[in-house]
Amino acid sequence: MSKNGFISLLFHTLFVTFMLAPIIVVCLVAFTPEGYLSLPTNGFSLRWFKAIGRYPEFIRAFWVSIGLGALSSTIVLAFAVPAALGLARYQFRGRDALSALLLSPLMIPHVVLGIAFLRFFTQFGLSGTFAALLIAHIVVIFPFALRLTLSSATGMDRSIEQAAISLGARDWVVFRRVTLPLIMPGLISGWALAFIQSFDEVTMTVFLAAPGTETLPVRMFLYIQDNIDPLVTSVSASVIAITVLALIILDRMFGLEHVLTGHSDRTK
Amino acid sequence: MAFLELQNVTKTFGDHTAVNAINLTVQKGEFVSLLGPSGCGKTTTLQMIAGFVPLTKGIIRLDGRDLSNVKPAERGLGIVFQSYALFPHMTAAQNVAFGLEMRSIPRSDRDQRVRDALALVGLAGYEERFPRRMSGGQQQRVALARALVIRPQILLLDEPLSNLDAKLREEMQIELRQIQRNLGTTTILVTHDQHEAMALSDRIVVMNKGDIEQIGSPQDTYHSPASAFVATFLGKTNAFEGEVQVAQGGISRIIVGDHVYTASAHIKGPVIISVRPERISFAKAGLRGTVCTRIFRGNHWLFQIKTIAGVATVIRQNDGTSMPEEGHDVHLVWREEDTFVRANSKVG
Ligand SMILES: Nc1ncnc2c1ncn2[C@@H]1O[C@H](COP(=O)(O)OP(=O)(O)OP(=O)(O)O)[C@@H](O)[C@H]1O
Ligand SMILES: [Mg+2]
């Protein structure tokens, strides 16, 4: 029988229901045959999934989101790895200040960042460009990648690298053959989390995107301002399906609990 | 000429001196242990030899060459860490082959040497195992093979056996000693276990708070400790309070409780006299005491004896003779050469 008491069981049930209910409702509504938002009581229909094809801007926005997420997460990782290794290994003056600075975008409301970036990019004539979006996303997702990379870099036994050095390996060889494989789980999870943050970001992006550089959430946000029909639910359901698929693949390849925490049994 | 030479080597962290101007020479083929309590600077010393910790002052020479500008990767030393520090994503064979790869040894030669090294530590057939699927003792052996396969100038061992259980540790000690004697590799072992140091080493370096207290063979450091610290650190010892009085003809009278004997002491006044428990025997006359406890330990007896100079611990071999029982009065004697006499600063 369950080790949890009745109250805790009730709490967890309510919590999970609360988290999942909106997602389930959205997925159900996506299959409605009606022209308005409703649960599919008169049979299922793929009408609204087919409708996505008539709105190429949704497809394009989806690809912008994917491209932006992949590119910004990759660039962020290229900075997060050296930053994490430096912070994890060396005691230096201003170390805490630097770490606070790198994590600070977490503490600024995205709406404030959105306005600030808009002003900034207009000044440089960059507003509405993909480059502007990329820079802004790099700033806001950096802390997420850093957190996970840092946790695997700190958990690593320094003497493993010293062993490699004593066996005659040069710095670059040590990094490539020993350090990198050991922090890899942290890197993968850092990348995945950064990607999700980028894909999900709407509050700030809505200020910066222009027609042509709209991301999927921004496109959906703008769409529901003018229309109330089940199209957004079918788009959402598709994104959810893709996410679930991606998680299954990640789990098969690396084990999900390692990816989500950035730890691995290999670093100990 | 000395193979490895540490001259005036000092390391300070902030205002804390971890290693204080130590001098040490190690001969080729020698097995030397750095022995001392936790925090006395053993690891720091080893890391300075390996090149991972820079020296604050002093100089280290290997085979006559100053090491200060030689990178750790170029020193050609084999290191075994307390945590084993195996590469977890490589098999045993890949771990051992790593150092050979770095030296660009051709493939066929490399495979042979890896097999030989694993066989040397008793792990033939474990080539394809990953470290996480091996026991602590087996991982320890892989680490040893990995360090030995590059034919290191010096083998550095930092508490390599401290994570093993007592029985396995004893087996590994014997094995380590055999391998070292066969290969003739100059070896420096860091340990805080005096039994391990005594069992393995040609010479023991006893360290305390960053200083070297004594360097000597296991027998020397045990029987003629240079300081009170060495005497207590290298096993149990009795410390009796007593007094030295000068009698005629340069001969001293030593008074311990109600026991008075003559000896050639180099100091006078209040003293502390240390005697190892196994060097005290029972006699008709001597320091009088009462047996409080008597414990049978199979091959020996362990006594706690209350005297007016303090409680004495005595160990007697179980040689079949009858031993005093609890509550009986006994007299304790010892030979002059088995004592270590030092001034007692607490009294007058
Ligand atoms: N990187 C460091 N920064 C500051 N102090 C240090 C550092 N490394 C070591 N110390 C200090 O130097 C002293 C000696 O440390 P060391 O690691 O050499 O001790 P040890 O003899 O190996 O002890 P143990 O048996 O516990 O391993 C300790 O007091 C330790 O706190
Ligand atoms: Mg140590």
Side-chain angles (χ1 to χ4, degrees), chain A residues 157 159 162 165 167 177 266, chain B residues 52 73 83 88-89 101 103:
Chain A
D157 183 358
S159 56
Q162 292 188 340
I165 295 169
L167 291 167
R177 298 276 313 267
R266 304 197 310 189
Chain B
F52 295 126
S83 58
H89 55 297
E101 260 178 78
R103 282 163 177 70

Side-chain angles (χ1 to χ4, degrees), chain B residues 263-280:
Chain B
S264 52
H266 50 282
I267 48 174
K268 59 179 203 234
V271 291
I272 289 184
I273 294 151
S274 316
V275 198
R276 298 260 179 227
E278 70 275 17
R279 295 301 168 104
I280 298 179

Side-chain angles (χ1 to χ4, degrees), chain B residues 13 16 18 36-45 159 190 192:
Chain B
F13 294 108
H16 172 74
S38 187
C40 72
K42 307 177 299 277
T43 298
T44 307
T45 306
E159 313 229 5
V190 159
H192 59 251

Side-chain angles (χ1 to χ4, degrees), chain B residues 82-150:
Chain B
Q82 180 174 1
S83 58
Y84 315 136
L86 294 176
F87 308 130
H89 55 297
M90 300 185 197
T91 62
Q94 286 167 341
N95 265 279
V96 178
F98 190 85
L100 298 176
E101 260 178 78
M102 296 302 120
R103 282 163 177 70
S104 312
I105 308 279
R107 178 106 215 184
S108 55
D109 200 9
R110 195 162 79 205
D111 291 348
Q112 188 57 44
R113 275 171 73 174
V114 168
R115 265 198 303 278
D116 291 348
L118 282 171
L120 179 73
V121 296
L123 282 182
Y126 284 82
E127 281 80 4
E128 300 312 317
R129 281 270 183 111
F130 280 94
R132 64 171 164 279
R133 294 197 44 233
M134 300 179 119
S135 71
Q138 289 168 340
Q139 292 184 29
Q140 189 59 72
R141 286 157 202 263
V142 176
L144 185 61
R146 184 178 68 177
L148 285 172
V149 78
I150 60 169

Side-chain angles (χ1 to χ4, degrees), chain B residues 69-87:
Chain B
N69 290 320
V70 183
K71 291 205 189 102
E74 288 154 10
R75 295 192 181 192
L77 308 179
I79 309 182
V80 177
F81 295 87
Q82 180 174 1
S83 58
Y84 315 136
L86 294 176
F87 308 130

